[in-house]
Amino acid sequence: MLRDFGGGPFGIYIHVPFCATRCGYCDFNTYTAGELGTSASPQSWLEALRGELATAAGEFAKLPTDTPEVATIFVGGGTPSLLGGDGLSEVLDSVRANFILAADAEVTTESNPESTSAEFFERIRTAGFTRVSLGMQSAAQHVLKVLDRTHTPGRAVTAAKEARAAGFDHVNLDLIYGTPGERDSDLDASLDAVLSAGVDHVSAYSLIVEDGTALARRVRRGELPAPDDDVLAARYERIDSRLTAAGLTWYEVSNWAAGDSARCRHNLGYWDGGDWLGAGPGAHSHVGGVRWWNVKHPARYADTVGRGGLPAAGWEILTADEQHTERVMLTIRLRTGLPLKELAPTESAAASRIIADGLAIHSNDRLILTDRGRLLADGVVRDLLT
């Protein structure tokens, strides 16, 4: 199946599928203890993870070129912090046992503020983690209640400060805006809290009502209104204005950082078309134009790995057209923009119309979104590709 590496940075994503409770808006591949019963556990997951990483390293060793050093590691979920400091240290050790990490490797973990502590951050910093991303979502209790988030409003800020005190230079806080019932004052309070935490990175995402979630059912029954597009646009502009004034500059439509070193290199690898191995239940991988995805359920994942195979549920070889489409979709979202030389003639004509409409500018032979263009980024992509 695999042909070779693509020549870009190589990262590893590790999916931790465990959560203490299920948030109403979440459609990620996650499971509570009650949903899993005795079919899977963090211990069986970790054992399977070790097996998958070892098998993947063996497959990579068969390729024509040497496996590149791992430039970035991202432990996501789910709730990785439920593994505790020792558990996350074991995860990182399992990567080191099978791959060579770059000397300056970025190593990130997501964390729920409620399952962290000063001791937790000290333990994972000692283990080699360099970056922490905390799910804050909002500082308003009633907004968190609608989202079914269990942490108290002030805990995310405290956790961010604990992470900085433990030696983390790079700490991110995640926000969700546009939740039914959220007021401008609620968003302002959330931004005040974020800026008081002294973090160097902020991610802000508009609420999306995903089919099959508890939130979608509430909206369908009329218990909650659907997010309003005009409100979402106004909230985004409010976020961008506040963060920019505080010295955090957007580098991707939904991400702001206090300088180049604060940008999330792992995510930039995705957006720039790099290679990555996704390990864990439901994780996706991309190496040299080949994409594959793992079986979703932790029990089936562990069983498949235990029988000596890679737990892939399916795979595809991306055509040149498919790779181009993904390149346009992702790169246009970056502040650095999309190289115009990569556009086909019809796409170049569309780019001229987009510029005339004030949605992008032509700078240094790149197509770069304007402030208004960021609000309509999905529409810009559609116009370019149709």
Side-chain angles (χ1 to χ4, degrees), residues 23-25 142-148 178-182 207-210 213-228:
C23 298
Y25 63 92
H142 70 97
V143 173
L144 294 174
K145 184 176 181 180
V146 172
L147 295 173
D148 291 325
T179 300
E182 180 188 60
L207 179 67
I208 298 175
V209 180
E210 301 285 1
T213 62
L215 180 63
R217 291 189 289 274
R218 296 184 68 187
V219 170
R220 188 170 58 249
R221 291 194 298 263
E223 297 174 12
L224 294 171
D228 181 273

Side-chain angles (χ1 to χ4, degrees), residues 11 13 24 53 57 71 95 121 133 146 160 189 196 238 251 255 269 273 282 286 289 299 323 331 352-353 358:
Y13 171 78
L53 291 172
V95 177
F121 291 118
S133 181
V146 172
S196 74
R238 200 180 194 94
Y251 70 98
N255 290 272
H286 173 271
Q323 292 186 62
T331 308
S352 295
R353 294 192 296 272

Side-chain angles (χ1 to χ4, degrees), residues 223-237:
E223 297 174 12
L224 294 171
D228 181 273
D229 288 342
D230 291 335
V231 171
L232 293 176
R235 295 273 160 79
Y236 180 87
E237 292 175 328

Side-chain angles (χ1 to χ4, degrees), residues 3-329:
R3 300 173 296 188
D4 208 349
F5 292 94
F10 176 55
I12 293 179
Y13 171 78
I14 295 173
H15 187 69
V16 181
F18 308 109
C19 280
T21 60
R22 181 172 295 282
C23 298
Y25 63 92
C26 179
D27 72 338
F28 294 162
N29 186 45
T30 62
Y31 305 83
T32 65
E35 291 168 338
L36 286 173
T38 59
S39 67
S41 67
Q43 292 72 33
S44 64
W45 168 84
L46 181 57
E47 186 63 30
L49 177 71
R50 293 191 185 103
E52 182 185 8
L53 291 172
T55 302
E59 292 297 314
F60 289 159
K62 300 174 185 177
L63 297 178
T65 57
D66 292 338
T67 303
E69 292 183 339
V70 178
T72 63
I73 299 170
F74 195 105
V75 185
T79 310
S81 49
L82 285 179
L83 300 176
D86 289 343
L88 283 171
S89 297
E90 289 187 61
V91 169
L92 187 51
D93 286 343
S94 69
V95 177
R96 290 193 180 108
N98 295 285
F99 296 89
I100 298 174
L101 272 61
D104 64 344
E106 175 192 87
V107 185
T108 305
T109 184
E110 294 180 334
S111 297
N112 184 308
E114 290 295 337
S115 52
T116 64
S117 64
E119 294 75 21
F120 167 83
F121 291 118
E122 290 168 2
R123 178 69 181 93
I124 64 172
R125 184 69 189 94
T126 300
F129 283 83
T130 65
R131 186 183 190 95
V132 171
S133 181
L134 293 159
M136 175 179 171
Q137 319 317 349
S138 176
Q141 182 66 60
H142 70 97
V143 173
L144 294 174
K145 184 176 181 180
V146 172
L147 295 173
D148 291 325
R149 294 288 294 185
T150 58
H151 65 266
T152 54
R155 176 56 201 159
V157 171
T158 300
K161 292 179 178 179
E162 289 172 349
R164 294 301 295 266
F168 282 94
D169 294 326
H170 304 304
V171 180
N172 173 67
L173 283 172
D174 275 354
L175 290 176
I176 290 178
Y177 60 93
T179 300
E182 180 188 60
R183 302 162 299 207
D184 287 347
S185 59
D186 297 324
L187 180 62
D188 285 339
S190 296
L191 291 168
D192 289 342
V194 165
L195 296 176
S196 74
V199 298
D200 67 343
H201 192 287
V202 176
S203 301
Y205 305 103
S206 64
L207 179 67
I208 298 175
V209 180
E210 301 285 1
D211 289 342
T213 62
L215 180 63
R217 291 189 289 274
R218 296 184 68 187
V219 170
R220 188 170 58 249
R221 291 194 298 263
E223 297 174 12
L224 294 171
D228 181 273
D229 288 342
D230 291 335
V231 171
L232 293 176
R235 295 273 160 79
Y236 180 87
E237 292 175 328
R238 200 180 194 94
I239 291 167
D240 184 53
S241 177
R242 289 287 307 276
L243 295 181
T244 299
L248 289 103
T249 305
W250 80 279
Y251 70 98
E252 191 273 343
V253 168
S254 298
N255 290 272
W256 291 257
D260 290 354
S261 65
R263 299 176 180 181
C264 180
R265 287 164 47 201
H266 186 85
N267 287 341
L268 282 169
Y270 297 148
W271 298 323
D272 283 334
D275 291 329
W276 71 91
L277 169 68
H284 284 58
S285 302
H286 173 271
V287 174
V290 179
R291 181 161 52 210
W292 68 98
W293 48 95
N294 285 351
V295 296
K296 286 189 171 183
H297 197 279
R300 187 180 171 203
Y301 166 76
D303 179 66
T304 304
V305 175
R307 289 185 279 107
L310 281 173
W315 62 278
E316 60 184 345
I317 297 176
L318 299 175
T319 66
D321 286 345
E322 288 170 336
Q323 292 186 62
H324 172 74
T325 295
E326 293 195 359
R327 172 78 170 155
V328 170
M329 290 174 62

